[in-house]
Amino acid sequence: MTIVAQLLVLILVIFSTLLVIGIPVTLASPGQWEKSKNLVYTGSGIWAGLVIITSIVNSFII
């Protein structure tokens, strides 16, 4: 169970890094917000889901 939690945290860190780089670039690019709006919202939803899943898995570890 510890390995699963560690893998979830690793995935969360990598995904967070991608979002920290990708979202400002998308917002700064002219005309890209309209094209990438759904991608940004989907990425944010996946990130929130990863946070919740990671916290649930972490609650089972003593």
Side-chain angles (χ1 to χ4, degrees):
M1 189 63 119
T2 304
I3 294 174
V4 173
Q6 290 176 348
L7 286 174
L8 282 170
V9 170
L10 177 66
I11 292 168
L12 184 62
V13 168
I14 291 171
F15 197 70
S16 295
T17 304
L18 291 174
L19 287 177
V20 163
I21 294 169
I23 290 177
V25 169
T26 301
L27 293 175
S29 301
Q32 289 297 317
W33 174 246
E34 290 80 19
K35 295 178 186 175
S36 303
K37 186 175 13 178
N38 289 334
L39 185 62
V40 170
Y41 288 146
T42 303
S44 300
I46 291 171
W47 182 85
L50 276 172
V51 169
I52 292 169
I53 291 170
T54 303
S55 65
I56 290 171
V57 169
N58 196 28
S59 69
F60 291 115
I61 298 174
I62 296 175

